[in-house]
Amino acid sequence: MKKHVWGCLALIMLAACSGTKTENTEKEGVETILPQQVNEVTVMKLAKGDFNHELVSNGKIMAREHADLYFRTQEVVAKVYVKNGTFVRKGQKLAELDLFKLNNALAQSKNSLAQANLEMQDVLIGQGYAPDNLNAVPADVLELAKVKSGYEQAKAQYESAQHELEQATLTAPFDGVVANLFDKAYNMPKSGEPFCRIIRTSAMEVDFTVLESELPLIKVGDQVEVTPYASAAGKRTGSISEINPLVDENGMVRVKAQVNGGDKLFDGMNVRINVKRSVPDQIVVPKTAIVLRSGKQVLFTVKDGIALWNYVTTGLENMTECTLVDWEANGLQEGMTVITTGNVNLAHETPVKIIE
């Protein structure tokens, strides 16, 4: 009986010792896995400076100069010398109609004009004037001779036939690229529709819109960066050329900017526009310095190793920075140390460690 009691006591003591050892081991493991660390942050001094404002919008490329070319005479197209995308020089031949009827009409009108001229000379001779010295003929007599002979009418018909013959050949009005050419040779061109369009690619512009509230931030001459969504075209630079002084029903204002090096840009191409301008005397902080707490913007400052939050309101923004509005009313002052990173999980009066 005594041996049994001593055995039970021994087992109880062994179990107690084992439990204490296990508890200590688990506690040490937790402390190893979850060490007590101070939040590490980076900081900057709050100070006024220049803010590089960047306004982003979408727009379309437009040719500042283009010409729709028409055939004025209804004849079959004889030859087409170019195709869409062909670069042409001023005066270069693009296409021409069948010239047989037009040349024939010109020859007939030329003959009629010659006959009318002879009849006018006969009238002048009958009036006693030399037909080879028209300057000596009185104006009223000469006018009567032209009417009787039909000279003026014949001359008008000849000039009309000559003009139609000239219009039967399309030439480029300036250097540019051919577009919207769909008619083929040996076919009648569509009546009332342009045969093709010539686009001056060296004079391209972009048409885009900005918000009414953004008008004070742009002016004529500001530099812009144009990025086509067709990445092969590459980025282009330019400058704002005009601002339409009218706000539409959506609160938008149309703006145009000239684009440099537009030889790879197509009329109607969709692009993204970045307008960059330096705004002086602003409190500028990185966007990473602003966090949200209960739906409000918060900026953390550091004092004696403690993070203190401050409610703020942001103003202008670009890709990486923003400005602060009414910062003095929110208790901020120039020279304060502001946390820029490491602030995601911070609370008010959290100890922090500043790192470089």
Side-chain angles (χ1 to χ4, degrees):
M1 184 66 179
K2 291 182 178 179
K3 291 181 178 180
H4 179 72
V5 173
W6 283 108
C8 291
L9 291 173
L11 289 173
I12 293 171
M13 293 177 65
L14 180 62
C17 293
S18 176
T20 302
K21 182 177 181 180
T22 302
E23 183 179 354
N24 292 336
T25 302
E26 290 179 354
K27 184 177 180 180
E28 290 175 0
V30 171
E31 290 178 349
T32 302
I33 296 173
L34 300 175
Q36 296 295 327
Q37 291 185 350
V38 178
N39 292 281
E40 294 183 343
V41 297
T42 59
V43 298
M44 63 169 284
K45 292 292 184 181
L46 205 62
K48 288 186 177 181
D50 292 340
F51 175 72
N52 295 318
H53 179 253
E54 186 175 28
L55 186 152
V56 181
S57 182
N58 294 318
K60 283 185 178 293
I61 292 293
M62 301 173 59
R64 283 194 292 127
E65 188 173 0
H66 70 267
D68 290 324
L69 306 182
Y70 295 79
F71 279 119
R72 306 298 179 182
T73 305
Q74 286 298 307
E75 293 292 341
V76 174
V77 177
K79 294 180 181 179
V80 179
Y81 299 101
V82 294
K83 59 183 180 181
N84 286 323
T86 302
F87 181 81
V88 294
R89 296 289 184 182
K90 181 179 180 180
Q92 181 176 335
K93 189 181 294 186
L94 308 176
E96 65 182 8
L97 300 176
D98 187 346
L99 303 180
F100 174 77
K101 290 184 178 181
L102 297 173
N103 281 323
N104 189 40
L106 180 63
Q108 291 179 7
S109 61
K110 184 177 182 180
N111 184 57
S112 298
L113 179 62
Q115 291 179 354
N117 187 46
L118 290 175
E119 292 180 6
M120 181 183 68
Q121 292 179 4
D122 288 342
V123 173
L124 291 176
I125 292 173
Q127 295 292 327
Y129 295 100
D132 55 350
N133 187 16
L134 297 180
N135 292 330
V137 180
D140 57 339
V141 175
L142 181 60
E143 185 66 25
L144 180 63
K146 288 181 178 181
V147 172
K148 284 186 176 182
S149 63
Y151 177 82
E152 289 295 343
Q153 182 178 1
K155 182 180 178 182
Q157 292 176 348
Y158 173 75
E159 291 176 349
S160 177
Q162 191 175 36
H163 178 72
E164 287 188 358
L165 181 61
E166 293 174 353
Q167 292 297 311
T169 301
L170 291 184
T171 58
F174 45 77
D175 296 353
V177 173
V178 178
N180 290 349
L181 196 164
F182 304 113
D183 289 317
K184 305 295 182 181
Y186 314 115
N187 292 276
M188 190 75 72
K190 295 178 181 178
S191 177
E193 295 186 9
F195 183 79
C196 67
R197 170 178 288 191
I198 303 299
I199 300 173
R200 189 192 290 275
T201 55
S202 60
M204 305 295 282
E205 64 183 9
V206 59
D207 189 339
F208 61 101
T209 57
V210 299
L211 292 171
E212 178 184 359
S213 59
E214 295 173 329
L215 274 177
L217 303 174
I218 63 172
K219 67 179 189 302
V220 173
D222 281 352
Q223 296 299 305
V224 301
E225 186 179 83
V226 179
T227 306
Y229 289 107
S231 57
K235 292 183 179 180
R236 295 290 186 273
T237 59
S239 60
I240 294 177
S241 56
E242 63 179 78
I243 300 173
N244 188 29
L246 178 66
V247 180
D248 65 17
E249 63 275 8
N250 298 317
M252 307 297 290
V253 178
R254 293 186 63 177
V255 181
K256 289 185 179 181
Q258 297 180 6
V259 182
N260 301 322
D263 56 326
K264 292 185 179 180
L265 299 177
F266 291 174
D267 191 12
M269 180 178 281
N270 294 302
V271 294
R272 184 177 69 252
I273 301 96
N274 295 71
V275 183
K276 298 182 178 180
R277 186 180 181 189
S278 180
V279 183
D281 201 30
Q282 299 291 318
I283 293 292
V284 184
V285 296
K287 282 187 173 181
T288 55
I290 306 298
V291 294
L292 291 178
R293 294 292 185 269
S294 300
K296 296 183 178 180
Q297 294 177 316
V298 171
L299 177 73
F300 283 96
T301 56
V302 178
K303 184 176 182 181
D304 299 328
I306 301 298
L308 305 174
W309 79 13
N310 305 267
Y311 290 113
V312 294
T313 303
T314 58
L316 303 175
E317 296 185 10
N318 57 25
M319 296 297 291
T320 59
E321 297 177 320
C322 62
T323 64
L324 299 182
V325 180
D326 297 331
W327 50 278
E328 290 178 315
N330 292 323
L332 297 176
Q333 297 179 358
E334 289 190 71
M336 280 186 168
T337 303
V338 175
I339 296 177
T340 56
T341 61
N343 54 357
V344 176
N345 297 317
L346 291 183
H348 187 54
E349 298 184 349
T350 300
V352 293
K353 177 183 178 182
I354 299 175
I355 60 174
E356 296 296 331

